Amino acid sequence: MADTTPGTMMEQLLAVEPAIVIGAGAAGLAVARALMKAGVATVVLEKESRLAEPWRRRHEQLHLNTHRDLSALPGLTYPKGTPAFPHRDVVIRHMNDFHEANHLPVEFGISVEAIIPGGDHWIVRTSAGSRLARHVVVATGRDREPYTPQWKGMEAFAGRIIHSADFGDAHTYAGKKVLVVGAGNSGFDALNHLAGIDTAAIWLSARNGPALLPKRIGKIAVHRLSPFMARLPLRVADAVMAVTQRLVFGDLTKFGMPRAPAGGASRLTSDYTAIAADDGAVKAIKSGRILVVPGIREFTRDGVMLANGSLIAPDIVIAATGYRTGLERMVGNLGVLDEKGVPLFNGGQADPKLPGLWFTGMRPSIRGCFANAGILAKAIARRIAGPGQPGTSR
């Protein structure tokens, strides 16, 4: 029996749009441009009221860990004189320039609640009503929702617990005792900034050792070698990173750092752990300014008990414990997410049982998110605008 609910009846009257991109971050903007250049009419739905809102919320000291020449959106370079590792505000301006230069049709203030199969098209349920599309590209980002573990006793802790996404101004930590939890990319970003501040104490709680590279070796920006690294077999890339880390930093286990459970390139693909960049933190670890301690067992009112039974008393705990995609509400019933909520396919890959559904920007890359956004955008546009693909104008 046909569904005659008001919502469904209204949806049957809607025109089917060729392509809808969800999310106007770097990945969403890049794929929208690629689709439009391929002749596919496209609209971008963005829940925020302006571009680059997640970047605006990050701390003032934030710079990219990726080199400017590999961090530009397709067809647009950074202005002359931009530092090798662009500041947050420069990235925000770059994204806005890209939006304007390509006349991308972004509709702001529209959040997507669910994506539902509709036969030969997709039903996109939004805060502003339903839309129909032949192709839907989900580009909401892998860092959509900050994740903080629920440690035992944390509700009773008298200090502050924040996520690294809310790091704020590094100078506000002056005179404070700070515990950073997590030795990944976000953890080292916080430590790099804290190393230059006159804090009372800094601890790094690390269950696993990082895949860690310096921003520079001499005058060479290490990230400029990433296109070469990305072409290597995983085990070779793992070995190159491990050797580089050992030659530059020495044996960090002497300072309490655990060994990494796997190689840096392998962890990118297996558990989506991004490679950390050092810009002063290792020197502070070696000098004793940053003390590496075991994982957290539980919180007490006045401190944190560690896995080895010792107790420390930080004023502030920074949970550099990663992010989640938050896609369960949108596509959780489609069987396209793994146990961490990450899509099972990305870029030009697709599930033949779900034609027209695409994901982009959902996994970390050695190249960095901006360079990878352009690569994935081209792959998706080729698949959608190729021979035999519906919903295109040639």
Side-chain angles (χ1 to χ4, degrees), residues 336-362:
V336 295
L337 304 178
D338 67 12
E339 67 279 359
K340 292 187 175 182
V342 177
L344 296 170
F345 48 93
N346 194 44
Q349 304 165 331
D351 185 338
K353 300 188 296 296
L354 299 169
L357 180 64
W358 311 88
F359 296 91
T360 183
M362 294 295 173

Side-chain angles (χ1 to χ4, degrees), residues 261-336:
S266 293
R267 293 188 71 189
L268 273 174
T269 58
S270 63
D271 60 10
Y272 320 123
T273 300
I275 297 162
D278 172 66
D279 195 17
V282 169
K283 182 179 179 181
I285 289 170
K286 289 182 174 181
S287 71
R289 284 208 60 239
I290 297 174
L291 298 178
V292 182
V293 297
I296 293 175
R297 178 185 295 177
E298 62 181 290
F299 281 79
T300 67
R301 181 188 179 282
D302 299 317
V304 178
M305 183 166 289
L306 303 171
N308 63 359
S310 62
L311 185 69
I312 59 175
D315 301 308
I316 304 170
V317 176
I318 301 173
T321 46
Y323 298 79
R324 298 292 184 266
T325 65
L327 289 174
E328 289 80 5
R329 295 182 296 276
M330 190 185 297
V331 296
N333 63 338
L334 298 178
V336 295

